[in-house]
């Protein structure tokens, strides 16, 4: 069952201007150390930050709050699997909100996809509630 959907479109040039103007103050307020290390290793540093900015905005919308009601930027963080697939991690108030909106007997799964085409970066987030299998044989057989 779908619990929430969010999307956001960020302007890479705007993120570049913000990085130029505020530098570490901006990076440290919005992005985790892992996100910063990832972005700083990339050829397109502002594009990488813009995609993660958009993902955080999209996640906050999927949580049904936007960036209000106590969610902090760093409560949402994007990392990548070895395959390159982006993964959203939530902590703090965002994790509390996710637990609150997840029905009993279900686990929440956050799906995220990122894309960019200069000057735009875009993210989509879908939060899914999956039933928790009570019998290990059920999950193995798919029934």
């Amino acid at each position: 069952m779908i619990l929430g959907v969010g999307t956001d479109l960020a302007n890479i040039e705007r993120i570049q201007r913000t990085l130029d103007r505020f530098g570490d103050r901006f990076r440290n307020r919005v992005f985790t150390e892992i996100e910063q290390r990832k972005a700083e290793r990339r050829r397109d540093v502002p594009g990488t930050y813009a995609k993660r900015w958009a993902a955080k905005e999209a996640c906050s919308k999927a949580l049904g709050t936007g960036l209000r009601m106590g969610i902090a930027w760093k409560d949402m963080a994007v990392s990548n699997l070895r395959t390159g697939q982006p993964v959203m991690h939530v902590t703090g108030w965002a994790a509390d909100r996710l637990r609150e909106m997840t029905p009993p007997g279900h686990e929440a799964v956050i799906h995220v996809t990122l894309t960019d085409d200069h000057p735009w970066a875009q993210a989509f987030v879908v939060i899914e509630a999956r039933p928790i299998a009570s019998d290990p044989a059920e999950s193995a057989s798919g029934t």
Side-chain angles (χ1 to χ4, degrees):
M1 125 186 26
I2 302 299
L3 298 178
V5 176
T7 185
D8 193 67
L9 185 66
N11 185 288
I12 296 169
E13 293 168 359
R14 179 175 154 246
I15 297 297
Q16 178 65 69
R17 288 191 303 272
T18 304
L19 288 165
D20 292 343
R21 183 170 178 195
F22 298 105
D24 286 342
R25 187 170 141 210
F26 171 66
R27 282 183 198 88
N28 294 332
R29 179 175 165 252
V30 176
F31 302 100
T32 65
E33 287 184 32
I34 292 169
E35 290 173 311
Q36 290 180 47
R37 281 195 306 270
K38 171 79 172 181
E40 297 299 328
R41 284 194 317 262
R42 302 296 298 267
R43 184 179 50 206
D44 182 13
V45 171
T48 302
Y49 279 122
K51 285 186 280 190
R52 278 150 179 76
W53 170 281
K56 291 168 186 266
E57 288 273 7
C59 184
S60 71
K61 293 171 186 175
L63 289 168
T65 64
L67 282 161
R68 299 179 187 188
M69 298 175 59
I71 288 184
W73 286 102
K74 288 184 175 181
D75 284 350
M76 300 164 289
V78 178
S79 66
N80 296 83
L81 300 177
R82 286 184 173 209
T83 61
Q85 177 184 348
V87 179
M88 179 66 69
H89 306 276
V90 293
T91 59
W93 195 93
D96 294 343
R97 172 69 181 141
L98 184 61
R99 276 190 298 278
E100 176 184 297
M101 63 191 288
T102 304
H106 290 74
E107 64 179 342
V109 179
I110 302 174
H111 303 276
V112 60
T113 186
L114 309 172
T115 191
D116 65 294
D117 186 7
H118 195 86
W120 301 108
Q122 187 172 33
F124 287 94
V125 171
V126 175
I127 301 175
E128 172 190 13
R130 289 185 187 160
I132 297 171
S134 55
D135 177 0
E138 283 181 33
S139 16
S141 68
T143 56

